Amino acid sequence: MTLMEGEVSRAPHPLDPLTAREIRAAVKLLKEQYEIASNTRFVMISLREPAKHKLRTWDARSRPDREVFMVLRDRAQRRTYEAVVSLSRQEVVRFEHREGAQTAITEEEFAQCGEAVRQDARWQQAMVRRGVEDFSLAMVDAWPTGRTKVLDESPELRLCYALTFVRAHPQDNGYARPVENLQVTVDLDSMDVVDVTDHGVVPLPPLAGNYDPALWGPEGNWPGVNRPRDDLRPVEITQPEGPSFTVEGYAVRWQKWRLRLGFTVREGLLLHQVGYEDKGRLRPILHRASLSEMYTPYGDPGITHRHKNAFDEGEYGAGFMVNALELGCDCLGEIRYFDAVVHDQDGEPVVLPHAICMHEEDVGVAWKHTDFRTGTTVTRRQRRLVISSFAVLGNYQYGYFWYLYLDGTIRFEVKLTGMISTGAVVGGRPEHGTLVAPGLYGPHHQHFFCARLDMDVDGHGNTVHEVDSESLPMEGTNQRGNAWRTRTTPLRSESEAQHRTAHAPTGRFWNVVNPGQLNGLGEPVAYKLVPGSGLLPMQPEGSEAWQRARFIYGHLWVTAYDPAQLYAAGDYPNRSEDEDGLPAYAAGDRSLENTDVVVWHTFGEHHVVRPEDWPAMPVVSTGFTLSPNGFFDGNPALDIPAPSSCHTHEQR
């Protein structure tokens, strides 16, 4: 099943994603009320979500304004504009120039950049020197330039670096043959090739790297797999009575969970108003949960690779790039699909089918106990609701997976797969990467992700505590040296709640506490954030990463709620100024005690490339967990029924 545009009611919930009809209406209103040049491109169009206080009190008679936020680029004038259009009032609320802001690279520009490069005589000469004469087989990837001396001197220029790869035929994997040492700079506004510098020919790697069995040949493909295995038997997932969830528009009910799904062109999949029914009351946990930014700095200082440090959301837009998920491939079982509506650069809506997949999974034992004295065993199975989406961001694919469990646990996982970004090398072992095929290597790099968690743990009056476990001195009653306890440090202000790091030796976690709500034991209710990754960047203070992505130098930041502060690297990370995003948000040093707080958690994957990562990278995962920590009076999964298919006589 799928949620199509036609299923959305005429009066959508204030948090529902924009429909195609709404996007057309907003663009039409803007063009009617302002003179929009024909070469102005629509870079991002999304719902402007109502502030939280408006959502607490709205009803059918007093709906918040339905507003659309737009980012536009006038390429002729090299100017960036923001617009807010009220669909409710049929007017443009705001239209203003954003001085110095550089917008994301659009799909249209990505394609145009490739065409411009292939037509450039200097680039063509460099390709001929490498034995390439059929320029139509060249792939061109547009990478952000980051901060460079050229751009600092000419801040109005919107440049990209164009990396070239060569296919042997139109269906070939071009990443198997990267063009090394060829530096091409393109002006994205004018689509002029600004510079082509050839730093010397490195031979193209000799072997294909095709992962699709349809393209495997008897020889010449690395690593030499010639046919699929034929002894893997099928696994079928069935639910004869149907799934346990219900869906109304974007509202989801599953077991005791209640939530709404959301989607934006920049962030992709997000969750709204996540709550849990407990003793007849819906208890809020999260108001909004999203992946606010991704950043991938590479560790190779070579000419072709030193500029690679991309913000995949702010410099491209993850929502534009989602896959159409397929039953049996991406999702198994009884599936509910949700389409996403994005737009092209003319402002026309584009429907992305099956952008979000939702299903249930059995994930093993939820809890179990055997009374060895009586021989009685009681076992209950765990189940989770899976809400997922896959974004294709150039060579990499990122799967975003939200998991809700029967015991109140929430997990978020990013699955990384796809294709490594490659380089060509002659002889020996590359110093800053790993050889994956003859003449081909993958540079070392890191992936950082920052989740924005707008917490509402039993209400909006929350405080975050950092909790460490500590050993006690061997004295007094601790003569055996076995004693330890937890130490809690409240993070009372934004200056205290920035650059906090995970610390595995003390089992550090962060408790989001509501001091105004007590559990049955008389303690404040809480959810704890348990980090799954302690990764920190390899780039030192003062580096480009330090200047552009300060948020990755700590695993936890906490800020006071502000609906305008959505992105860890700021609104416009493409050539952003120093300390944009989280450092700027926290500069006000607002109070964080018993107030509406936003938790920002950075986690990542350290990628020392392996030969096994080629030609298609096996999935690696990273993420975090939100667990109830005194939120309930006891185990909320105690009421899970016994498995109907359990055949142990003692089971009950």
Side-chain angles (χ1 to χ4, degrees), residues 161-376:
Y161 287 135
L163 301 185
T164 304
F165 306 84
V166 180
R167 300 178 189 261
H169 52 81
Q171 288 75 42
D172 192 32
N173 175 17
Y175 293 112
R177 297 183 180 90
V179 176
E180 197 73 21
N181 284 351
L182 183 59
Q183 190 171 12
V184 182
T185 308
V186 177
D187 185 328
L188 290 172
D189 284 327
S190 66
M191 281 302 158
D192 293 327
V193 179
V194 175
D195 180 67
V196 177
T197 304
D198 192 344
H199 296 273
V201 173
V202 176
L204 297 177
L207 299 181
N210 291 308
Y211 46 89
D212 186 344
L215 300 176
W216 292 348
E219 58 184 19
N221 193 72
W222 191 268
V225 180
N226 293 319
R227 62 182 180 87
R229 62 185 72 181
D230 58 7
D231 56 351
L232 193 63
R233 297 179 179 177
V235 173
E236 300 291 340
I237 307 296
T238 62
Q239 291 182 274
E241 299 178 18
S244 302
F245 55 75
T246 59
V247 176
E248 183 177 351
Y250 292 94
V252 176
R253 298 169 64 96
W254 179 71
Q255 291 297 294
K256 299 180 181 182
W257 289 102
R258 306 290 179 265
L259 67 147
R260 304 192 67 86
L261 303 187
F263 192 93
T264 72
V265 294
R266 178 163 174 165
E267 302 154 295
L269 171 65
L270 55 91
L271 306 184
H272 288 294
Q273 297 182 328
V274 181
Y276 194 96
E277 281 192 358
D278 180 36
K279 300 177 181 177
R281 181 168 70 93
L282 180 59
R283 303 175 65 188
I285 299 166
L286 281 162
H287 174 70
R288 189 182 196 271
S290 65
L291 188 62
S292 76
E293 192 53 88
M294 299 187 289
Y295 181 64
T296 309
Y298 279 71
D300 189 334
I303 293 294
T304 318
H305 309 283
R306 62 190 180 190
H307 65 274
K308 292 181 179 177
N309 61 129
F311 295 94
D312 287 304
E313 291 191 7
E315 291 181 327
Y316 291 106
F320 290 110
M321 313 292 186
V322 295
N323 265 149
L325 303 177
E326 298 180 12
L327 180 63
C329 294
D330 303 287
C331 313
L332 294 177
E334 292 287 333
I335 306 301
R336 175 80 179 204
Y337 293 106
F338 298 81
D339 296 346
V341 182
V342 296
H343 60 89
D344 63 18
Q345 276 61 72
D346 291 318
E348 278 295 307
V350 176
V351 177
L352 302 179
H354 293 192
I356 300 170
C357 166
M358 185 172 72
H359 66 286
E360 293 175 276
E361 285 182 350
D362 180 288
V363 284
V365 173
W367 57 266
K368 181 184 184 78
H369 182 69
T370 299
D371 187 331
F372 66 89
R373 293 177 175 85
T374 65
T376 301

Side-chain angles (χ1 to χ4, degrees), residues 495-514:
S495 61
E496 297 178 0
Q498 54 183 298
H499 290 298
R500 310 305 300 186
T501 57
H503 193 239
T506 62
R508 179 173 294 170
F509 63 88
W510 292 283
N511 227 19
V512 185
V513 176
N514 187 331

Side-chain angles (χ1 to χ4, degrees), residues 483-500:
W484 58 275
R485 63 188 177 192
T486 58
R487 181 183 72 254
T488 298
T489 305
L491 305 178
R492 297 187 174 91
S493 67
E494 290 177 327
S495 61
E496 297 178 0
Q498 54 183 298
H499 290 298
R500 310 305 300 186

